Amino acid sequence: MSWTESAAAVRWNIQPFIDGRYRPSSATERFDNINPATETTLCQVSAGNAADVDEAVRVARKRFNDGCWSQLPPGRRTEILVKLADLMVAHKAELALLDSLEMGKPIQAALFDVKNSATRLLRSWAGFADKLVGISAPSIGGALSLNVYEPRGVVGAVTPWNFPTVNAVYKFGPALAAGNTIVMKPSELSSASTLRLAELALEAGVPEGVFNVVPGLGATVGAALASHPDVNLLTFTGSTITGRKIMELAARSNGKPVMLELGGKSPQVVFDDVDDLDYVADAVLQSWLWNSGQVCSAHTRLVVHENIKDSLLEKVVSRARLRKTGDPLDEATTLGPLASPAQRDRVKGYIEQGLKSGAVAVLKGAIQEKGGCYVSPTIFDRVTRDMSIAREEIFGPVLCVQTFRAEEEAIALANGTDYGLAATVWTRDMGRGRRLAQAINAGYVSVRTSGQEGPGAGCMLSHEPQKASGFGSEQGLRGLQSYSTLKSINFNGA
Ligand code: NAD
């Protein structure tokens, strides 16, 4: 069956999944779930409401308290989560198709997300479940003091649309491995794969009511989850503006802790000692145009030494010119539409602002106004630090070029936004690479030479976003610790 035939056969069923079964939302308001490749309606979805969230949290609390998951031997949780990863691989085409239809991701990229990113992450967290080891303090006399990790309880998770399957795994992976129950609220643009994952979790052996999903709007379902008095931890991935609202709601309700993975405006700093500009140009394109620039860590600022600016820019522009947008269900497509009409309008607005502010569009991408949310790559040269396109997250295929002469200037430009998520530095001088890695305010910094790199290291080292990009660490063992609470237990006596 072709992808188009499979798409026509999808039976959309977006409604709350609570206690192991679908149940209709009690909300009456509905909205259209749009395919951004065509701007046609895939299905109608309920806006959801606080009553749906109440019911999901009630069930998640009951299941947490009865210990059906939290009291399982951690090794058993590992086995079940590994089985879920296997099921995800078995259902990769189905999950990838849902993501592609709802948010326009090219089908090959969606398959990669499921097969490579999401399942690898889940297997890794599964393997950490029995490694949440506490410590004991030096003891004297009859005393024994221990630190132990315990699950927090009911976790609320709110996710964005850019990597629907991966974003879901990012939340339920560590939350479930650490023994919590969870209520997930996926983006209203892309809920289907999260719901399917909850079904697959049940099949893998996660007990009913441990993994619940309430789809709907941010202002209804998301806000109700962030405000809920019986949620013990709220983990959020999305924009900085929404993240701040979530903090406020969490503080006003029960003061639950929050973890925020927010926006970015990551720089790619290129010094003039690199000797393979073609390789660098390929890497710039990859880290900028991945997912059409709709990636929190997209490197959308090219901060380049003025000696090599012209030659590097020429290579980047000629490559970008060749990147044509296309039907996401065509396996040859590498650049799909943006995720929604709103996202297209946002990016269009930033392109207009860039032109008005005096930046030079060395590549001006076409914008399709209807029948598909397609925007081709745009590159702005002569971008200055004060321009909004240099400071604000555009979340689309727009690259801003800034030049420097001295190392200090490169550092100042790299740090010249409110964000602090990621950065890449290109130099053959490892001393300089180290200095920049330490001076740049970002959760993770890559230092690269010029084409001699081997494959990247494992992705399970933890990091924390900085500045307006959020806080809290979700990856690796630190991730599991974030989803746990640390208790000190003291024994006194002979
Ligand atoms: P968004 O903030 O608009 O929405 C994210 C989620 O929050 C959605 O589920 C939405 O329904 C919900 N929401 C919206 N308003 C809410 C409210 N008032 N209360 C509670 N929930 C609410 O973000 P988006 O457009 O879906 O995603 C793009 C953003 O996500 C970008 O800023 C991107 O950088 C960020 N992001 C960050 C990371 C990271 O790891 N740092 C990863 C992916 C995406």
Side-chain angles (χ1 to χ4, degrees), residues 301-349:
R301 289 189 298 138
L302 178 59
V303 177
V304 54
H305 195 286
E306 66 172 24
N307 287 349
I308 56 165
K309 198 273 295 264
D310 289 342
S311 37
L312 180 58
L313 190 53
E314 191 192 314
K315 289 177 191 298
V316 172
V317 170
S318 60
R319 282 162 171 76
R321 227 183 265 290
L322 299 176
R323 296 292 296 275
K324 303 288 178 215
T325 56
D327 176 3
L329 295 185
D330 179 341
E331 291 185 0
T333 296
T334 56
L335 212 55
L338 299 189
S340 65
Q343 192 60 21
R344 172 186 54 203
D345 293 347
R346 173 191 169 89
V347 174
K348 184 179 165 205

mmCIF file of all heavy atoms in Angstrom, residues 301-349:
data_model
loop_
_atom_site.group_PDB
_atom_site.id
_atom_site.type_symbol
_atom_site.label_atom_id
_atom_site.label_comp_id
_atom_site.label_asym_id
_atom_site.label_seq_id
_atom_site.Cartn_x
_atom_site.Cartn_y
_atom_site.Cartn_z
ATOM 1 N N ARG A 301 21.362 30.846 13.485
ATOM 2 C CA ARG A 301 22.252 32.016 13.381
ATOM 3 C C ARG A 301 23.624 31.540 12.948
ATOM 4 O O ARG A 301 24.244 30.717 13.636
ATOM 5 C CB ARG A 301 22.359 32.726 14.743
ATOM 6 C CG ARG A 301 21.090 33.449 15.129
ATOM 7 C CD ARG A 301 21.312 34.310 16.345
ATOM 8 N NE ARG A 301 21.693 33.556 17.511
ATOM 9 C CZ ARG A 301 22.630 33.923 18.363
ATOM 10 N NH1 ARG A 301 23.325 35.039 18.163
ATOM 11 N NH2 ARG A 301 22.901 33.195 19.433
ATOM 12 N N LEU A 302 24.084 32.029 11.804
ATOM 13 C CA LEU A 302 25.429 31.702 11.342
ATOM 14 C C LEU A 302 26.338 32.869 11.715
ATOM 15 O O LEU A 302 26.216 33.964 11.151
ATOM 16 C CB LEU A 302 25.404 31.477 9.821
ATOM 17 C CG LEU A 302 26.739 31.181 9.166
ATOM 18 C CD1 LEU A 302 27.390 29.931 9.758
ATOM 19 C CD2 LEU A 302 26.540 30.969 7.648
ATOM 20 N N VAL A 303 27.192 32.622 12.697
ATOM 21 C CA VAL A 303 28.108 33.662 13.191
ATOM 22 C C VAL A 303 29.481 33.309 12.620
ATOM 23 O O VAL A 303 30.118 32.355 13.065
ATOM 24 C CB VAL A 303 28.105 33.665 14.742
ATOM 25 C CG1 VAL A 303 29.106 34.690 15.270
ATOM 26 C CG2 VAL A 303 26.708 33.950 15.278
ATOM 27 N N VAL A 304 29.917 34.066 11.607
ATOM 28 C CA VAL A 304 31.056 33.598 10.807
ATOM 29 C C VAL A 304 32.151 34.676 10.737
ATOM 30 O O VAL A 304 31.847 35.878 10.669
ATOM 31 C CB VAL A 304 30.564 33.160 9.393
ATOM 32 C CG1 VAL A 304 29.776 34.249 8.687
ATOM 33 C CG2 VAL A 304 31.700 32.697 8.517
ATOM 34 N N HIS A 305 33.411 34.215 10.742
ATOM 35 C CA HIS A 305 34.542 35.141 10.634
ATOM 36 C C HIS A 305 34.483 35.849 9.281
ATOM 37 O O HIS A 305 34.245 35.216 8.251
ATOM 38 C CB HIS A 305 35.858 34.375 10.776
ATOM 39 C CG HIS A 305 37.014 35.289 11.038
ATOM 40 N ND1 HIS A 305 37.557 36.087 10.053
ATOM 41 C CD2 HIS A 305 37.697 35.554 12.172
ATOM 42 C CE1 HIS A 305 38.544 36.801 10.569
ATOM 43 N NE2 HIS A 305 38.647 36.503 11.865
ATOM 44 N N GLU A 306 34.741 37.164 9.303
ATOM 45 C CA GLU A 306 34.537 37.931 8.055
ATOM 46 C C GLU A 306 35.449 37.491 6.914
ATOM 47 O O GLU A 306 35.100 37.640 5.749
ATOM 48 C CB GLU A 306 34.650 39.443 8.303
ATOM 49 C CG GLU A 306 36.004 39.917 8.702
ATOM 50 C CD GLU A 306 36.076 41.454 8.735
ATOM 51 O OE1 GLU A 306 35.026 42.099 8.890
ATOM 52 O OE2 GLU A 306 37.192 41.971 8.613
ATOM 53 N N ASN A 307 36.614 36.882 7.238
ATOM 54 C CA ASN A 307 37.518 36.422 6.165
ATOM 55 C C ASN A 307 36.886 35.335 5.293
ATOM 56 O O ASN A 307 37.274 35.173 4.134
ATOM 57 C CB ASN A 307 38.807 35.821 6.763
ATOM 58 C CG ASN A 307 39.700 36.894 7.328
ATOM 59 O OD1 ASN A 307 39.456 38.075 7.102
ATOM 60 N ND2 ASN A 307 40.720 36.488 8.083
ATOM 61 N N ILE A 308 36.008 34.539 5.874
ATOM 62 C CA ILE A 308 35.445 33.420 5.097
ATOM 63 C C ILE A 308 33.945 33.581 4.871
ATOM 64 O O ILE A 308 33.301 32.678 4.341
ATOM 65 C CB ILE A 308 35.724 32.060 5.787
ATOM 66 C CG1 ILE A 308 35.190 32.065 7.228
ATOM 67 C CG2 ILE A 308 37.183 31.687 5.722
ATOM 68 C CD1 ILE A 308 35.103 30.682 7.838
ATOM 69 N N LYS A 309 33.405 34.704 5.297
ATOM 70 C CA LYS A 309 31.938 34.881 5.195
ATOM 71 C C LYS A 309 31.441 34.680 3.758
ATOM 72 O O LYS A 309 30.538 33.876 3.510
ATOM 73 C CB LYS A 309 31.554 36.277 5.709
ATOM 74 C CG LYS A 309 30.101 36.429 6.065
ATOM 75 C CD LYS A 309 29.176 36.825 4.956
ATOM 76 C CE LYS A 309 29.335 38.139 4.330
ATOM 77 N NZ LYS A 309 28.619 39.259 4.663
ATOM 78 N N ASP A 310 32.063 35.365 2.801
ATOM 79 C CA ASP A 310 31.544 35.307 1.432
ATOM 80 C C ASP A 310 31.611 33.889 0.874
ATOM 81 O O ASP A 310 30.652 33.400 0.279
ATOM 82 C CB ASP A 310 32.327 36.273 0.522
ATOM 83 C CG ASP A 310 31.973 37.721 0.864
ATOM 84 O OD1 ASP A 310 30.933 37.932 1.520
ATOM 85 O OD2 ASP A 310 32.751 38.625 0.500
ATOM 86 N N SER A 311 32.762 33.233 1.067
ATOM 87 C CA SER A 311 32.869 31.896 0.462
ATOM 88 C C SER A 311 31.935 30.896 1.154
ATOM 89 O O SER A 311 31.304 30.074 0.485
ATOM 90 C CB SER A 311 34.310 31.392 0.443
ATOM 91 O OG SER A 311 34.964 31.792 1.601
ATOM 92 N N LEU A 312 31.790 30.987 2.495
ATOM 93 C CA LEU A 312 30.887 30.043 3.162
ATOM 94 C C LEU A 312 29.432 30.335 2.783
ATOM 95 O O LEU A 312 28.653 29.425 2.480
ATOM 96 C CB LEU A 312 31.072 30.111 4.692
ATOM 97 C CG LEU A 312 30.165 29.164 5.482
ATOM 98 C CD1 LEU A 312 30.375 27.709 5.078
ATOM 99 C CD2 LEU A 312 30.387 29.312 6.992
ATOM 100 N N LEU A 313 29.107 31.610 2.769
ATOM 101 C CA LEU A 313 27.711 31.976 2.478
ATOM 102 C C LEU A 313 27.315 31.524 1.069
ATOM 103 O O LEU A 313 26.216 31.005 0.853
ATOM 104 C CB LEU A 313 27.541 33.488 2.637
ATOM 105 C CG LEU A 313 26.104 33.995 2.600
ATOM 106 C CD1 LEU A 313 25.228 33.260 3.604
ATOM 107 C CD2 LEU A 313 26.069 35.499 2.905
ATOM 108 N N GLU A 314 28.218 31.677 0.129
ATOM 109 C CA GLU A 314 27.922 31.246 -1.248
ATOM 110 C C GLU A 314 27.590 29.745 -1.278
ATOM 111 O O GLU A 314 26.636 29.313 -1.921
ATOM 112 C CB GLU A 314 29.156 31.526 -2.101
ATOM 113 C CG GLU A 314 28.942 31.392 -3.579
ATOM 114 C CD GLU A 314 30.288 31.392 -4.309
ATOM 115 O OE1 GLU A 314 31.130 32.257 -3.988
ATOM 116 O OE2 GLU A 314 30.473 30.513 -5.164
ATOM 117 N N LYS A 315 28.367 28.973 -0.520
ATOM 118 C CA LYS A 315 28.123 27.521 -0.491
ATOM 119 C C LYS A 315 26.790 27.194 0.190
ATOM 120 O O LYS A 315 26.061 26.305 -0.240
ATOM 121 C CB LYS A 315 29.265 26.818 0.260
ATOM 122 C CG LYS A 315 30.570 26.811 -0.505
ATOM 123 C CD LYS A 315 31.678 26.174 0.312
ATOM 124 C CE LYS A 315 33.039 26.384 -0.317
ATOM 125 N NZ LYS A 315 33.190 25.784 -1.648
ATOM 126 N N VAL A 316 26.490 27.925 1.254
ATOM 127 C CA VAL A 316 25.233 27.655 1.970
ATOM 128 C C VAL A 316 24.048 28.039 1.087
ATOM 129 O O VAL A 316 23.066 27.298 0.961
ATOM 130 C CB VAL A 316 25.205 28.417 3.326
ATOM 131 C CG1 VAL A 316 23.836 28.298 3.981
ATOM 132 C CG2 VAL A 316 26.278 27.887 4.270
ATOM 133 N N VAL A 317 24.152 29.203 0.433
ATOM 134 C CA VAL A 317 23.038 29.664 -0.411
ATOM 135 C C VAL A 317 22.818 28.688 -1.568
ATOM 136 O O VAL A 317 21.676 28.295 -1.855
ATOM 137 C CB VAL A 317 23.314 31.094 -0.953
ATOM 138 C CG1 VAL A 317 22.290 31.483 -2.009
ATOM 139 C CG2 VAL A 317 23.295 32.101 0.196
ATOM 140 N N SER A 318 23.901 28.248 -2.216
ATOM 141 C CA SER A 318 23.695 27.364 -3.377
ATOM 142 C C SER A 318 23.082 26.033 -2.941
ATOM 143 O O SER A 318 22.238 25.468 -3.639
ATOM 144 C CB SER A 318 24.991 27.155 -4.152
ATOM 145 O OG SER A 318 25.941 26.568 -3.311
ATOM 146 N N ARG A 319 23.457 25.564 -1.772
ATOM 147 C CA ARG A 319 22.841 24.314 -1.275
ATOM 148 C C ARG A 319 21.370 24.526 -0.915
ATOM 149 O O ARG A 319 20.519 23.705 -1.219
ATOM 150 C CB ARG A 319 23.597 23.804 -0.038
ATOM 151 C CG ARG A 319 24.902 23.104 -0.370
ATOM 152 C CD ARG A 319 25.785 23.025 0.859
ATOM 153 N NE ARG A 319 26.953 22.177 0.655
ATOM 154 C CZ ARG A 319 28.022 22.539 -0.039
ATOM 155 N NH1 ARG A 319 28.076 23.720 -0.614
ATOM 156 N NH2 ARG A 319 29.046 21.710 -0.163
ATOM 157 N N ALA A 320 21.094 25.652 -0.239
ATOM 158 C CA ALA A 320 19.718 25.915 0.201
ATOM 159 C C ALA A 320 18.779 26.075 -1.001
ATOM 160 O O ALA A 320 17.624 25.667 -0.963
ATOM 161 C CB ALA A 320 19.683 27.155 1.085
ATOM 162 N N ARG A 321 19.312 26.664 -2.071
ATOM 163 C CA ARG A 321 18.512 26.861 -3.294
ATOM 164 C C ARG A 321 18.006 25.527 -3.849
ATOM 165 O O ARG A 321 16.944 25.440 -4.449
ATOM 166 C CB ARG A 321 19.411 27.524 -4.349
ATOM 167 C CG ARG A 321 18.787 28.692 -5.051
ATOM 168 C CD ARG A 321 19.726 29.217 -6.116
ATOM 169 N NE ARG A 321 20.547 30.317 -5.681
ATOM 170 C CZ ARG A 321 20.096 31.544 -5.431
ATOM 171 N NH1 ARG A 321 18.814 31.820 -5.556
ATOM 172 N NH2 ARG A 321 20.908 32.489 -5.015
ATOM 173 N N LEU A 322 18.810 24.493 -3.627
ATOM 174 C CA LEU A 322 18.447 23.167 -4.155
ATOM 175 C C LEU A 322 17.430 22.434 -3.285
ATOM 176 O O LEU A 322 16.890 21.412 -3.682
ATOM 177 C CB LEU A 322 19.707 22.283 -4.278
ATOM 178 C CG LEU A 322 20.793 22.793 -5.210
ATOM 179 C CD1 LEU A 322 22.018 21.891 -5.160
ATOM 180 C CD2 LEU A 322 20.253 22.869 -6.641
ATOM 181 N N ARG A 323 17.229 22.935 -2.063
ATOM 182 C CA ARG A 323 16.298 22.243 -1.158
ATOM 183 C C ARG A 323 14.869 22.671 -1.478
ATOM 184 O O ARG A 323 14.402 23.709 -1.015
ATOM 185 C CB ARG A 323 16.644 22.558 0.299
ATOM 186 C CG ARG A 323 18.006 22.044 0.733
ATOM 187 C CD ARG A 323 18.062 20.528 0.788
ATOM 188 N NE ARG A 323 17.162 19.984 1.789
ATOM 189 C CZ ARG A 323 17.461 19.841 3.073
ATOM 190 N NH1 ARG A 323 18.650 20.170 3.516
ATOM 191 N NH2 ARG A 323 16.587 19.333 3.916
ATOM 192 N N LYS A 324 14.190 21.844 -2.258
ATOM 193 C CA LYS A 324 12.817 22.168 -2.677
ATOM 194 C C LYS A 324 11.829 21.568 -1.686
ATOM 195 O O LYS A 324 12.026 20.455 -1.204
ATOM 196 C CB LYS A 324 12.537 21.585 -4.070
ATOM 197 C CG LYS A 324 13.521 22.057 -5.136
ATOM 198 C CD LYS A 324 13.294 23.512 -5.521
ATOM 199 C CE LYS A 324 14.309 23.994 -6.546
ATOM 200 N NZ LYS A 324 14.693 25.381 -6.388
ATOM 201 N N THR A 325 10.759 22.307 -1.437
ATOM 202 C CA THR A 325 9.708 21.748 -0.585
ATOM 203 C C THR A 325 8.911 20.735 -1.418
ATOM 204 O O THR A 325 8.875 20.822 -2.646
ATOM 205 C CB THR A 325 8.758 22.846 -0.077
ATOM 206 O OG1 THR A 325 8.236 23.551 -1.206
ATOM 207 C CG2 THR A 325 9.458 23.808 0.845
ATOM 208 N N GLY A 326 8.280 19.790 -0.720
ATOM 209 C CA GLY A 326 7.501 18.788 -1.456
ATOM 210 C C GLY A 326 6.501 18.083 -0.568
ATOM 211 O O GLY A 326 6.445 18.314 0.649
ATOM 212 N N ASP A 327 5.711 17.223 -1.196
ATOM 213 C CA ASP A 327 4.683 16.447 -0.506
ATOM 214 C C ASP A 327 5.332 15.572 0.573
ATOM 215 O O ASP A 327 6.205 14.751 0.271
ATOM 216 C CB ASP A 327 3.981 15.569 -1.566
ATOM 217 C CG ASP A 327 2.943 14.641 -0.946
ATOM 218 O OD1 ASP A 327 2.717 14.711 0.276
ATOM 219 O OD2 ASP A 327 2.369 13.841 -1.712
ATOM 220 N N PRO A 328 4.915 15.710 1.826
ATOM 221 C CA PRO A 328 5.545 14.926 2.894
ATOM 222 C C PRO A 328 5.399 13.412 2.695
ATOM 223 O O PRO A 328 6.203 12.644 3.227
ATOM 224 C CB PRO A 328 4.809 15.359 4.161
ATOM 225 C CG PRO A 328 4.020 16.560 3.815
ATOM 226 C CD PRO A 328 3.892 16.631 2.330
ATOM 227 N N LEU A 329 4.390 12.982 1.929
ATOM 228 C CA LEU A 329 4.206 11.538 1.747
ATOM 229 C C LEU A 329 5.037 10.977 0.595
ATOM 230 O O LEU A 329 5.018 9.780 0.332
ATOM 231 C CB LEU A 329 2.719 11.207 1.536
ATOM 232 C CG LEU A 329 1.822 11.508 2.737
ATOM 233 C CD1 LEU A 329 0.405 11.034 2.487
ATOM 234 C CD2 LEU A 329 2.357 10.875 4.027
ATOM 235 N N ASP A 330 5.790 11.856 -0.086
ATOM 236 C CA ASP A 330 6.725 11.396 -1.108
ATOM 237 C C ASP A 330 8.040 11.082 -0.386
ATOM 238 O O ASP A 330 8.603 11.944 0.290
ATOM 239 C CB ASP A 330 6.900 12.525 -2.138
ATOM 240 C CG ASP A 330 7.878 12.155 -3.236
ATOM 241 O OD1 ASP A 330 8.685 11.219 -3.038
ATOM 242 O OD2 ASP A 330 7.848 12.821 -4.287
ATOM 243 N N GLU A 331 8.523 9.853 -0.550
ATOM 244 C CA GLU A 331 9.718 9.440 0.219
ATOM 245 C C GLU A 331 10.963 10.232 -0.151
ATOM 246 O O GLU A 331 11.950 10.221 0.586
ATOM 247 C CB GLU A 331 9.963 7.944 0.049
ATOM 248 C CG GLU A 331 8.894 7.125 0.746
ATOM 249 C CD GLU A 331 9.137 5.636 0.725
ATOM 250 O OE1 GLU A 331 10.155 5.216 0.154
ATOM 251 O OE2 GLU A 331 8.297 4.917 1.292
ATOM 252 N N ALA A 332 10.930 10.942 -1.294
ATOM 253 C CA ALA A 332 12.110 11.730 -1.682
ATOM 254 C C ALA A 332 12.109 13.116 -1.031
ATOM 255 O O ALA A 332 13.111 13.825 -1.078
ATOM 256 C CB ALA A 332 12.130 11.872 -3.199
ATOM 257 N N THR A 333 10.997 13.506 -0.423
ATOM 258 C CA THR A 333 10.899 14.866 0.143
ATOM 259 C C THR A 333 11.750 15.012 1.406
ATOM 260 O O THR A 333 11.708 14.164 2.294
ATOM 261 C CB THR A 333 9.416 15.193 0.472
ATOM 262 O OG1 THR A 333 8.692 15.205 -0.745
ATOM 263 C CG2 THR A 333 9.270 16.534 1.166
ATOM 264 N N THR A 334 12.520 16.096 1.439
ATOM 265 C CA THR A 334 13.298 16.371 2.657
ATOM 266 C C THR A 334 12.809 17.639 3.361
ATOM 267 O O THR A 334 13.183 17.903 4.498
ATOM 268 C CB THR A 334 14.800 16.529 2.339
ATOM 269 O OG1 THR A 334 14.940 17.551 1.368
ATOM 270 C CG2 THR A 334 15.420 15.238 1.835
ATOM 271 N N LEU A 335 12.017 18.439 2.657
ATOM 272 C CA LEU A 335 11.519 19.689 3.247
ATOM 273 C C LEU A 335 9.999 19.721 3.057
ATOM 274 O O LEU A 335 9.521 19.875 1.927
ATOM 275 C CB LEU A 335 12.175 20.857 2.518
ATOM 276 C CG LEU A 335 12.468 22.145 3.272
ATOM 277 C CD1 LEU A 335 13.307 21.901 4.505
ATOM 278 C CD2 LEU A 335 13.153 23.145 2.347
ATOM 279 N N GLY A 336 9.270 19.558 4.142
ATOM 280 C CA GLY A 336 7.813 19.545 4.043
ATOM 281 C C GLY A 336 7.248 20.935 4.258
ATOM 282 O O GLY A 336 7.977 21.928 4.272
ATOM 283 N N PRO A 337 5.931 21.028 4.472
ATOM 284 C CA PRO A 337 5.325 22.314 4.796
ATOM 285 C C PRO A 337 5.628 22.660 6.250
ATOM 286 O O PRO A 337 6.068 21.802 7.011
ATOM 287 C CB PRO A 337 3.829 22.039 4.626
ATOM 288 C CG PRO A 337 3.700 20.576 4.935
ATOM 289 C CD PRO A 337 4.962 19.928 4.449
ATOM 290 N N LEU A 338 5.368 23.892 6.656
ATOM 291 C CA LEU A 338 5.403 24.205 8.085
ATOM 292 C C LEU A 338 4.171 23.565 8.719
ATOM 293 O O LEU A 338 3.250 23.120 8.027
ATOM 294 C CB LEU A 338 5.449 25.713 8.294
ATOM 295 C CG LEU A 338 6.689 26.393 7.693
ATOM 296 C CD1 LEU A 338 6.764 27.849 8.127
ATOM 297 C CD2 LEU A 338 7.975 25.671 8.079
ATOM 298 N N ALA A 339 4.146 23.539 10.045
ATOM 299 C CA ALA A 339 3.180 22.669 10.724
ATOM 300 C C ALA A 339 1.744 23.170 10.702
ATOM 301 O O ALA A 339 0.823 22.395 10.949
ATOM 302 C CB ALA A 339 3.618 22.469 12.172
ATOM 303 N N SER A 340 1.528 24.445 10.418
ATOM 304 C CA SER A 340 0.161 24.967 10.479
ATOM 305 C C SER A 340 0.102 26.309 9.748
ATOM 306 O O SER A 340 1.134 26.974 9.564
ATOM 307 C CB SER A 340 -0.245 25.183 11.942
ATOM 308 O OG SER A 340 0.564 26.193 12.508
ATOM 309 N N PRO A 341 -1.106 26.744 9.393
ATOM 310 C CA PRO A 341 -1.232 28.087 8.806
ATOM 311 C C PRO A 341 -0.683 29.152 9.758
ATOM 312 O O PRO A 341 -0.048 30.114 9.315
ATOM 313 C CB PRO A 341 -2.741 28.234 8.594
ATOM 314 C CG PRO A 341 -3.243 26.824 8.447
ATOM 315 C CD PRO A 341 -2.379 26.001 9.359
ATOM 316 N N ALA A 342 -0.894 28.989 11.063
ATOM 317 C CA ALA A 342 -0.397 29.986 12.027
ATOM 318 C C ALA A 342 1.127 30.052 11.996
ATOM 319 O O ALA A 342 1.721 31.139 12.062
ATOM 320 C CB ALA A 342 -0.874 29.640 13.437
ATOM 321 N N GLN A 343 1.757 28.895 11.859
ATOM 322 C CA GLN A 343 3.217 28.853 11.827
ATOM 323 C C GLN A 343 3.727 29.526 10.546
ATOM 324 O O GLN A 343 4.713 30.251 10.566
ATOM 325 C CB GLN A 343 3.656 27.379 11.915
ATOM 326 C CG GLN A 343 5.124 27.169 12.172
ATOM 327 C CD GLN A 343 5.607 27.791 13.468
ATOM 328 O OE1 GLN A 343 4.817 28.056 14.375
ATOM 329 N NE2 GLN A 343 6.897 28.053 13.548
ATOM 330 N N ARG A 344 3.030 29.278 9.429
ATOM 331 C CA ARG A 344 3.412 29.936 8.170
ATOM 332 C C ARG A 344 3.311 31.463 8.319
ATOM 333 O O ARG A 344 4.213 32.201 7.905
ATOM 334 C CB ARG A 344 2.495 29.465 7.034
ATOM 335 C CG ARG A 344 2.712 30.244 5.732
ATOM 336 C CD ARG A 344 1.699 29.853 4.670
ATOM 337 N NE ARG A 344 0.339 29.983 5.153
ATOM 338 C CZ ARG A 344 -0.704 29.321 4.653
ATOM 339 N NH1 ARG A 344 -0.536 28.474 3.656
ATOM 340 N NH2 ARG A 344 -1.913 29.503 5.152
ATOM 341 N N ASP A 345 2.209 31.933 8.956
ATOM 342 C CA ASP A 345 2.019 33.385 9.100
ATOM 343 C C ASP A 345 3.095 33.991 9.989
ATOM 344 O O ASP A 345 3.582 35.090 9.748
ATOM 345 C CB ASP A 345 0.642 33.681 9.700
ATOM 346 C CG ASP A 345 -0.469 33.291 8.725
ATOM 347 O OD1 ASP A 345 -0.145 33.045 7.548
ATOM 348 O OD2 ASP A 345 -1.635 33.205 9.165
ATOM 349 N N ARG A 346 3.469 33.235 11.023
ATOM 350 C CA ARG A 346 4.495 33.713 11.936
ATOM 351 C C ARG A 346 5.828 33.891 11.189
ATOM 352 O O ARG A 346 6.478 34.929 11.285
ATOM 353 C CB ARG A 346 4.634 32.676 13.057
ATOM 354 C CG ARG A 346 5.766 32.901 14.019
ATOM 355 C CD ARG A 346 5.926 31.641 14.903
ATOM 356 N NE ARG A 346 7.160 31.711 15.650
ATOM 357 C CZ ARG A 346 7.262 32.271 16.840
ATOM 358 N NH1 ARG A 346 6.206 32.773 17.428
ATOM 359 N NH2 ARG A 346 8.430 32.310 17.444
ATOM 360 N N VAL A 347 6.198 32.876 10.411
ATOM 361 C CA VAL A 347 7.478 32.929 9.696
ATOM 362 C C VAL A 347 7.436 34.037 8.641
ATOM 363 O O VAL A 347 8.386 34.816 8.492
ATOM 364 C CB VAL A 347 7.800 31.549 9.071
ATOM 365 C CG1 VAL A 347 9.040 31.622 8.195
ATOM 366 C CG2 VAL A 347 7.994 30.513 10.178
ATOM 367 N N LYS A 348 6.306 34.140 7.963
ATOM 368 C CA LYS A 348 6.146 35.199 6.956
ATOM 369 C C LYS A 348 6.333 36.577 7.609
ATOM 370 O O LYS A 348 7.018 37.453 7.078
ATOM 371 C CB LYS A 348 4.736 35.086 6.363
ATOM 372 C CG LYS A 348 4.455 36.041 5.256
ATOM 373 C CD LYS A 348 3.045 35.836 4.722
ATOM 374 C CE LYS A 348 2.665 37.027 3.884
ATOM 375 N NZ LYS A 348 1.237 37.241 3.797
ATOM 376 N N GLY A 349 5.746 36.733 8.789
ATOM 377 C CA GLY A 349 5.865 38.005 9.519
ATOM 378 C C GLY A 349 7.318 38.331 9.830
ATOM 379 O O GLY A 349 7.761 39.477 9.679
#
